Amino acid sequence: MRTALTELVGVRHPIVQTGMGWVAGPRLVSATARAGALGVLASATMTTQQLRAAVREVKSRTDEPFGVNLRADAGDARERVRIIIDEGVKVASFALAPSEELIAELKDAGVVVIPSIGARRHAEKVAAWGADAVIVQGGEGGGHTGEVATTVLLPQVVDAVDIPVIAAGGFRDGRGLVAALAFGAAGIAMGTRFLLTSDSTVPDAVKARYLAAGVKDVTVTTAVDGLPHRMLRTEMVAALEHAGRVRALAQAVRRASGFRRISGLSWSRMVRDGLAMKHGKDLSWSQVLLAANTPMLLKASMVDGRTDLGVMASGQVAGLIEDLPSCAELVERVMAEAHEALGAVVRAERVKGADA
Ligand SMILES: Cc1cc2nc3c(=O)[nH]c(=O)nc-3n(C[C@H](O)[C@H](O)[C@H](O)COP(=O)(O)O)c2cc1C
């Protein structure tokens, strides 16, 4: 299936595995790339040295194109962009809208720039600045998310910009791919579905929590870092939602020191990053700190398997996912379902024609 996405990045299938902190590492990304879809490394939770090593590891496992996701507001975004350029990475994906200068620098070096956005005006802005495509995440998507559902946001953005639009939020199968194409998208991007594969390094106990979740076990909370964040509803989330200001600050400081140790970031840098995430919102100090160490909370579950302590970012679609295929099986299945769904649409159209 050839679409503007497959042409733009040189993959066989119009499917993206999104950058997910602690989840989208070299193993998942190279398995996705080998399956013919676009894998995206999550770099926000890596130091710059780790990023370079991870990129080299993917390159040692596959010659297929892949991408790197980074936070446009990170203090060292420029350094990360340099690594992407030096290492010849095909795609730069951004968690927030990157600046015009960053886009220009990447494009001058031949890197395809695909920011993730959650609102039409952001899509218009990055398109005007020269982004090559956008990933549009509807409210049902996992991680930081907006309020507008994919079925409403996607056609709105498709109508507003003339660059390829990739649909994200709530996708897991071929029917979803065909629906996205019908809305005018060039492909789909999936987070939660790729997290739940046998190639993902997320501990089994954590995968089991996702598989057991129903649609209503996925919630949006601002209690972690002040921004709407979609995740599994756990005891930890309930505790944070009910903690008073003082307890919340104490917890935040404890977790932030843990993150500081493993990330090598200074306190001032963490507070700066936390403040950058504020986005003009009225956050308490504990939320500023939590914003800076949300990665630590994600690590507790995604790496250490602590379902009791960690944040398990998740799309609503977790409620519909029941198995752990390999990336190759998943991509093959999605494409087979998509062809079947397209066939069904064509048949329905023919029956309609014959009846007329
Ligand atoms: C565990 C997890 C971690 C995530 N981390 C990031 C991240 O570091 N950067 C980013 O741009 N998006 C992140 N996201 C959002 C995903 O990239 C993607 O847009 C989203 O999962 C799509 O919705 P879906 O889960 O319904 O497929 C994360 C999502 C999940 C589930």
Side-chain angles (χ1 to χ4, degrees):
M1 193 180 279
R2 289 171 63 171
T3 70
L5 170 63
T6 61
E7 300 298 291
L8 180 65
V9 298
V11 289
R12 275 179 282 136
H13 307 297
I15 299 174
V16 178
Q17 162 259 302
T18 61
M20 293 173 279
W22 303 111
V23 177
R27 188 166 116 186
L28 185 64
V29 171
S30 51
T32 304
R34 283 199 302 263
L38 182 72
V40 177
L41 266 177
S43 92
T45 45
M46 294 175 185
T47 62
T48 47
Q49 291 95 315
Q50 286 167 337
L51 170 59
R52 197 181 283 276
V55 166
R56 289 186 177 166
E57 194 177 334
V58 177
K59 288 201 298 193
S60 74
R61 291 177 185 216
T62 179
D63 294 329
E64 301 293 334
F66 64 96
V68 166
N69 175 263
L70 62 155
R71 271 179 52 186
D73 61 347
D76 56 4
R78 275 225 119 73
E79 204 184 327
R80 287 168 193 267
V81 162
R82 269 283 28 114
I83 293 173
I84 290 173
I85 294 172
D86 289 351
E87 296 291 333
V89 173
K90 179 82 188 177
V91 174
S93 130
F94 285 93
L96 296 166
S99 67
E100 199 169 1
E101 296 74 49
L102 273 190
I103 295 180
E105 189 175 339
L106 284 158
K107 287 192 63 169
D108 284 350
V111 180
V112 175
V113 179
I114 310 184
S116 286
I117 57 96
R120 183 190 58 187
R121 65 178 195 287
H122 295 154
E124 288 170 341
K125 190 171 73 180
V126 295
W129 287 349
D132 296 290
V134 279
I135 292 180
V136 173
Q137 182 178 323
E140 53 270 67
H144 289 117
T145 202
E147 281 173 27
V148 184
T150 303
T151 45
V152 175
L153 183 63
L154 177 59
Q156 192 190 24
V157 173
V158 165
D159 289 345
V161 298
D162 52 16
I163 54 176
V165 175
I166 303 154
F171 294 99
R172 75 185 160 114
D173 63 9
R175 290 174 300 179
L177 171 56
V178 172
L181 295 175
F183 273 118
I188 52 170
M190 303 187 286
T192 307
R193 179 61 275 193
F194 276 101
L195 183 155
L196 292 170
T197 57
S198 56
D199 292 305
S200 126
T201 52
V202 169
D204 289 344
V206 174
K207 287 180 183 169
R209 285 291 290 262
Y210 280 84
L211 292 176
V215 175
K216 291 201 166 170
D217 297 322
V218 184
T219 188
V220 174
T221 183
T222 55
V224 173
D225 57 14
L227 304 172
H229 205 157
R230 193 177 278 289
M231 60 186 68
L232 295 189
R233 192 196 302 278
T234 59
E235 309 76 54
M236 221 290 286
V237 172
L240 278 176
E241 282 182 337
H242 294 111
R245 283 207 154 202
V246 175
R247 245 183 71 211
L249 182 58
Q251 282 183 9
V253 171
R254 219 177 42 242
R255 295 208 174 87
S257 27
F259 181 55
R260 224 172 61 78
R261 264 198 308 279
I262 58 152
S263 66
L265 293 179
S266 65
W267 278 108
S268 58
R269 173 63 158 284
M270 284 186 63
V271 170
R272 234 184 19 249
D273 282 0
L275 287 169
M277 282 182 77
K278 261 175 64 134
H279 281 315
K281 292 205 168 60
D282 182 25
L283 295 191
S284 64
W285 275 106
S286 55
Q287 282 177 325
V288 168
L289 272 184
L290 278 170
N293 77 92
T294 298
M296 191 60 198
L297 297 175
L298 204 55
K299 176 180 178 282
S301 48
M302 299 304 156
V303 179
D304 305 332
R306 295 292 302 265
T307 52
D308 53 339
L309 282 182
V311 158
M312 287 175 274
S314 173
Q316 262 177 349
V317 75
L320 303 178
I321 295 176
E322 287 171 350
D323 58 357
L324 298 170
S326 67
C327 289
E329 287 162 350
L330 174 63
V331 171
E332 201 177 305
R333 187 165 84 194
V334 169
M335 293 314 299
E337 290 164 349
H339 288 295
E340 200 178 310
L342 275 174
V345 173
V346 171
R347 279 194 301 278
E349 191 54 31
R350 283 210 192 106
V351 171
K352 226 172 72 195
D355 286 349

